[in-house]
Amino acid sequence: MSSNRELTRLSGWGNTAPSMCHVVDASGLDVIKTAIEESDTRGVIARGLGRSYGAPAQNAGGTVLLMADHGDSSIGLDPQTGLVTADARVSLERLMTELVPQGWFVPVTPGTRQVTVGGAIASDIHGKNHHVDGSFGDHVVKITLLTSEGNVRELTPEESPSEFWATVGGMGLTGVILNATFKMIPITTSSMRVETSRAENLSALMTSMQDDRDYRYSVAWIDLVAKGSRMGRGVLTRGDHAALSDLKNVDEASALKFNPKALLSAPPIFPSGLLNKWTVSAFNEVWFRKAPAQIHESIESIGSFFHPLDGVKQWNRLYGRSGFVQYQFVVPFGAEETLEAIVHRLSAENCASFLAVLKYFRKGNDGPLSFPLEGWTLALDVPAHGGHMAAVFAEVDEMVLHAGGRHYLAKDAHIRPDAVMRGYPRLQEWRDVQQRMDPNHVWQSDLARRLRLTTR
Amino acid sequence: MENGLGIPQTIALFGASSEIGQAVIREIIQVGVANVVLAVRSESSVAQFKDELNGTYPGVNILVHQFDALEFESHDGLIARIVTEVGDIDVAVIAFGVLGGEPCESLLSTDAVQVAQVNYTGTVSLLGALATQMKRQSHGKIAYLSSVAGERVRRSNPVYGSSKAGADSFAQGLSDRLVGSGVSLLIVRPGFVASKMTAHLKPAPFATTPGAVAVATAKGLASGKRIIWVPGLLRFVFSIFRHLPLPIWRKLAEKG
Ligand SMILES: Cc1cc2nc3c(=O)[nH]c(=O)nc-3n(C[C@H](O)[C@H](O)[C@H](O)COP(=O)(O)OP(=O)(O)OC[C@H]3O[C@@H](n4cnc5c(N)ncnc54)[C@H](O)[C@@H]3O)c2cc1C
Ligand SMILES: NC(=O)c1ccc[n+]([C@@H]2O[C@H](COP(=O)([O-])OP(=O)(O)OC[C@H]3O[C@@H](n4cnc5c(N)ncnc54)[C@H](OP(=O)(O)O)[C@@H]3O)[C@@H](O)[C@H]2O)c1
């Protein structure tokens, strides 16, 4: 059947490794079931807003279920408990737009609001509050999942722990998440109370991050271009939701206003190479100088604190036609020397990443493929046209794995199967559950194929 | 699939003892490639090449599979086995071929039928199996080593020339069929290449090397071309040769 269906070119947010897929707008349960029945050996995968960087939400030659919210997907809040049941297609932006004014914030937000609830669970996303609140899956009490055999199942951590945790972080490979119930965070204002400070190098930065526990949200941006004694210099921003008393001249009603408007749009496709080591190093210098030398307190909006890049629509095009990859890994505490060596290696490479994001995670959860593990995580963007980066990454990959670390599947675009095996020691356990949940091998994606995730 | 850095994950070489084929692999392999599949009649003929690749790219998984171009019924199964073992095939290089002896008194060399079957039927069979798999994948690149010998057949080797001509035509048609499928097929037409196939012959004009064919093939694959000539000049030379009056062509072909 598939041979006559139209093919659509899809790629992830990094605009790399596009593939030709049969895209189905999964507007209702019937449509999804039919698509599964009609799929061939190339299988089916769900796709949310396509904000993962690599290829987990595309399926060359197979079916892609577009889980798009046409504005009619449901959000049901219990104002007593803060539990919300939302359609998997709902974006975090829509959740914020509707629930922030009612005094509720999402339990975890990534660096963009443009992700769906389904994508948030499938990647078990983390945010600036991981060290306090854990990842998205930690707040979910129930997942409604459509299995490959066409059954709708309710998964909870109590009654079906293996299936529940195989789905959290399971990259869409256990079924289609239809909706989920999770706990929101109560807030009294839509503002953030933020402290900004800067550190002259990486070890100073890591030292000041030791008292992160006093803040609900924390993240550091480090300059990968600076060399020598300033290597790894960075700006640390930490904060919490502001209380009404933190705001001047604002009444209770307007304190919860939320405006998600995007500001600018990047030009269609930027010439590749505009981001080079000169422009990046100039940018980083200005950015570092702009940060106050002393600790500085400010009040910011949710958007500017959590989602600065959402202000520029389709900023991913800044990297030109060949796209970019995001490299994110975590190494356990105790591997600080490895982390320094990696920053050193990457900064020697002039790999033209504006900034890298450094953060520490608390202990991870029960998801065998969930990314966070207690330790330091670093994320950086690298233009994909420098073929030599493959060798650099191969070296860094080995350092990460050797230190007992792992790579984030939602961002990965280059690791090899053995890196998953070494980084995720519970992979086989996940595979066993996955195979039980998908005996006919329906769920497949480009990522799963490249990494042999569902190999039997 | 290629990964996010544009690096193919699995590369397969059919006729893996071919000198040109091996040169192409050396050209396109790089850090980041996960698997190289060597499909060959006898495993021992690629032992040295395997060691070489293992030495230069210790991270790459090298697999050897038994492959005979004449065992047509086995081709589908071979492709299926490779896919089960390592997943999608991203790049396939087809390099098997035989030159055959010159026809003698009987006008039919003893091996004529076999040469025709390896070069033509074998290519049709394998290309068909590969293209079917890649179409299913909706991605993949094939490089087929054709030859200028098929452009205008010479009296010294009509079996080789015509079988290459037939396979080349088949590949052109297949390549057109694949447009829009995400799969591409590159036809490489080298002139005289100094390799073990031609070791007993005296080099023809515009002779080239396996290395030069490899560089051109890698470029052609990257840019998504349909047909390339090596050296590139041969494209113009043969556009003249093709229209030369017969007596002149016969004379010319006799010399080279
Ligand atoms: C600017 C930016 C900043 C980011 N910052 C962070 C960050 O701070 N922390 C972090 O953790 N991540 C971050 N990410 C990554 C992003 O949060 C994840 O990739 C997320 O999964 C994207 O959600 P999506 O809806 O776009 O899903 P997609 O990218 O479309 O899909 C991601 C995965 O989810 C699966 N999936 C989607 N919907 C469903 C469904 N209904 N049922 C089953 N499976 C489904 C897909 O199959 C796929 O495997 C960031 C991304 C961007 C672009
Ligand atoms: N050399 C030239 O001048 C030239 C010019 C233009 C085009 N070409 C083409 O380029 C390709 C590669 O040639 P080459 O120069 O590299 O020659 P080569 O080194 O002789 O390689 C050809 C290979 O084909 C293999 N082969 C023969 N019969 C086979 C069969 N039945 N099944 C599987 N494999 C078989 C041989 O493998 P075994 O080890 O099993 O014998 C041999 O290694 C050929 O298609 C040739 O026609 C060559």
Side-chain angles (χ1 to χ4, degrees):
Chain A
M1 122 116 226
S2 66
S3 57
N4 298 322
R5 289 182 292 166
E6 220 175 287
L7 289 166
T8 306
R9 203 177 143 100
L10 288 181
S11 62
W13 188 245
N15 280 331
T16 59
S19 67
M20 307 295 283
C21 318
H22 304 285
V23 177
V24 174
D25 184 353
S27 48
L29 193 55
D30 292 349
V31 180
I32 302 178
K33 283 188 178 174
T34 310
I36 294 171
E37 276 160 24
E38 290 181 350
S39 66
D40 63 11
T41 56
R42 298 296 284 183
V44 182
I45 195 72
R47 179 182 180 95
L49 279 161
R51 260 24 179 222
S52 34
Y53 283 76
Q58 66 199 50
N59 181 16
T63 303
V64 172
L65 295 169
L66 208 57
M67 300 293 286
D69 181 8
H70 298 300
D72 51 354
S73 308
S74 64
I75 299 178
L77 173 77
D78 177 348
Q80 299 307 310
T81 58
L83 279 172
V84 65
T85 299
D87 191 303
R89 295 166 240 248
V90 169
S91 70
L92 296 198
E93 172 154 305
R94 215 186 119 201
L95 280 174
M96 288 178 214
T97 308
E98 295 195 11
L99 301 184
V100 165
Q102 299 180 48
W104 297 101
F105 192 64
V106 294
V108 170
T109 178
T112 172
R113 296 182 294 273
Q114 302 300 337
V115 305
T116 63
V117 167
I121 294 171
S123 297
D124 193 21
I125 61 168
H126 56 271
K128 295 183 180 187
N129 57 342
H130 190 277
H131 63 293
V132 175
D133 294 321
S135 51
F136 202 91
D138 293 316
H139 306 269
V140 177
V141 298
K142 194 183 81 194
I143 296 170
T144 309
L145 188 82
L146 178 72
T147 69
S148 58
E149 292 160 304
N151 304 318
V152 175
R153 290 191 59 181
E154 302 214 321
L155 307 178
T156 65
E158 293 77 30
E159 267 144 45
S160 39
S162 354
E163 288 85 356
F164 179 90
W165 289 111
T167 301
V168 170
M171 304 313 289
L173 297 166
T174 60
V176 180
I177 301 168
L178 299 175
N179 65 61
T181 306
F182 48 94
K183 194 134 197 258
M184 301 286 284
I185 296 178
I187 51 175
T188 50
T189 76
S190 60
S191 297
M192 303 301 299
R193 198 183 59 227
V194 184
E195 260 185 47
T196 307
S197 57
R198 71 185 202 201
E200 296 297 330
N201 57 44
L202 187 60
S203 48
L205 188 61
M206 292 200 284
T207 309
S208 35
M209 288 171 85
Q210 274 169 2
D211 49 4
D212 267 9
R213 269 169 247 269
D214 301 343
Y215 305 81
R216 182 165 210 160
Y217 298 100
S218 161
V219 76
W221 300 80
I222 68 178
D223 178 358
L224 274 189
V225 183
K227 300 264 161 32
S229 61
R230 303 186 313 164
M231 189 197 79
R233 68 177 178 177
V235 175
L236 183 56
T237 59
R238 303 189 283 198
D240 203 339
H241 298 280
L244 198 55
S245 56
D246 294 325
L247 307 182
K248 289 191 195 99
N249 312 323
V250 176
D251 59 38
E252 232 170 284
S254 54
L256 283 165
K257 269 198 184 140
F258 177 71
N259 175 11
K261 284 258 155 57
L263 305 172
L264 309 157
S265 181
I269 286 284
F270 242 63
S272 313
L274 195 77
L275 295 186
N276 57 41
K277 69 177 183 195
W278 310 116
T279 51
V280 169
S281 105
F283 171 88
N284 284 7
E285 192 61 38
V286 171
W287 156 85
F288 186 76
R289 292 293 147 215
K290 212 183 83 190
Q294 302 301 318
I295 293 182
H296 167 84
E297 288 197 21
S298 60
I299 296 290
E300 291 182 24
S301 69
I302 284 173
S304 72
F305 182 66
F306 289 110
H307 320 115
L309 289 167
D310 282 1
V312 187
K313 263 192 197 157
Q314 304 201 295
W315 57 267
N316 53 339
R317 291 175 172 173
L318 283 174
Y319 284 90
R321 235 171 259 287
S322 47
F324 68 107
V325 298
Q326 184 163 84
Y327 189 71
Q328 183 172 4
F329 65 85
V330 55
V331 289
F333 288 136
E336 285 74 16
E337 272 179 31
T338 301
L339 185 68
E340 289 209 35
I342 292 174
V343 170
H344 192 84
R345 184 70 189 85
L346 292 170
S347 88
E349 210 47 50
N350 286 325
C351 58
S353 180
F354 272 106
L355 300 166
V357 177
L358 179 69
K359 150 136 212 87
Y360 82 77
F361 286 152
R362 73 166 197 199
K363 216 165 139 293
N365 59 29
D366 280 342
L369 289 194
S370 169
F371 169 62
L373 81 91
E374 197 167 18
W376 298 98
T377 182
L378 186 77
L380 60 136
D381 293 340
V382 178
H385 52 71
H388 77 292
M389 282 310 291
V392 179
F393 282 160
E395 243 179 80
V396 178
D397 291 348
E398 187 48 45
M399 293 160 93
V400 168
L401 295 167
H402 188 75
R406 57 168 67 143
H407 299 85
Y408 189 14
L409 298 181
K411 302 206 170 160
D412 171 62
H414 82 281
I415 58 170
R416 295 214 319 237
D418 59 302
V420 188
M421 219 120 76
R422 290 169 67 192
Y424 292 84
R426 292 172 61 206
L427 175 64
Q428 194 49 51
E429 180 187 332
W430 177 84
R431 278 180 177 159
D432 293 342
V433 180
Q434 194 274 339
Q435 183 168 353
R436 231 176 33 232
M437 294 174 78
D438 181 23
N440 300 322
H441 204 21
V442 168
W443 311 119
Q444 296 179 45
S445 66
D446 288 355
L447 175 91
R449 264 191 292 268
R450 176 165 55 80
L451 297 180
R452 321 279 304 142
L453 291 178
T454 57
T455 294
R456 301 176 168 180
Chain B
M1 282 295 296
E2 287 184 351
N3 71 11
L5 299 169
I7 301 171
Q9 295 304 287
T10 297
I11 301 173
L13 172 61
F14 296 87
S17 50
S18 145
E19 274 186 56
I20 299 180
Q22 295 187 354
V24 174
I25 298 303
R26 283 190 197 97
E27 196 58 37
I28 59 181
I29 192 174
Q30 56 177 313
V31 174
V33 169
N35 311 291
V36 172
V37 180
L38 302 177
V40 70
R41 275 199 292 192
S42 120
E43 183 154 348
S44 60
S45 64
V46 292
Q48 200 182 340
F49 186 51
K50 186 178 172 188
D51 288 346
E52 176 199 324
L53 294 180
N54 272 327
T56 330
Y57 297 93
V60 181
N61 180 24
I62 318 278
L63 302 123
V64 180
H65 274 277
Q66 154 71 32
F67 161 70
D68 190 323
L70 290 172
E71 287 170 14
F72 312 126
E73 308 74 33
S74 71
H75 295 171
D76 251 342
L78 169 63
I79 302 296
R81 268 201 310 288
I82 294 173
V83 169
T84 313
E85 209 170 8
V86 293
D88 290 1
I89 301 172
D90 301 316
V91 180
V93 179
I94 303 191
F96 64 83
V98 278
L99 192 56
E102 279 200 34
C104 36
E105 301 79 55
S106 71
L107 276 185
L108 189 67
S109 66
T110 45
D111 57 3
V113 172
Q114 194 170 333
V115 169
Q117 287 200 317
V118 172
N119 291 347
Y120 179 73
T121 318
T123 301
V124 169
S125 169
L126 182 71
L127 268 181
L130 256 176
T132 305
Q133 167 59 25
M134 287 191 176
K135 216 168 159 239
R136 205 175 290 138
Q137 296 173 183
S138 295
H139 72 91
K141 292 177 177 168
I142 306 174
Y144 164 61
L145 282 158
S146 177
S147 168
V148 298
E151 273 302 295
R152 190 154 186 187
V153 176
R154 304 185 327 178
R155 57 181 278 177
S156 61
N157 56 4
V159 183
Y160 178 74
S162 66
S163 59
K164 288 306 255 190
D168 187 291
S169 299
F170 172 72
Q172 289 182 51
L174 186 60
S175 164
D176 295 344
R177 268 184 84 97
L178 290 171
V179 168
S181 69
V183 182
S184 64
L185 196 168
L186 168 73
I187 299 167
V188 182
R189 292 183 185 152
F192 184 101
V193 185
S195 76
K196 65 177 187 289
M197 183 181 270
T198 54
H200 60 291
L201 304 173
K202 102 174 175 338
F206 308 111
T208 183
T209 61
V213 178
V215 170
T217 303
K219 264 202 200 145
L221 281 172
S223 63
K225 282 228 171 73
R226 181 167 176 267
I227 299 178
I228 57 167
W229 302 70
V230 196
L233 188 66
L234 285 179
R235 177 175 163 206
F236 304 101
V237 172
F238 270 85
S239 71
I240 297 167
F241 279 5
R242 222 176 294 132
H243 303 290
L244 281 181
L246 207 50
I248 304 180
W249 165 248
R250 280 199 193 113
K251 268 220 171 104
L252 246 175
E254 238 14 62
K255 286 202 208 133

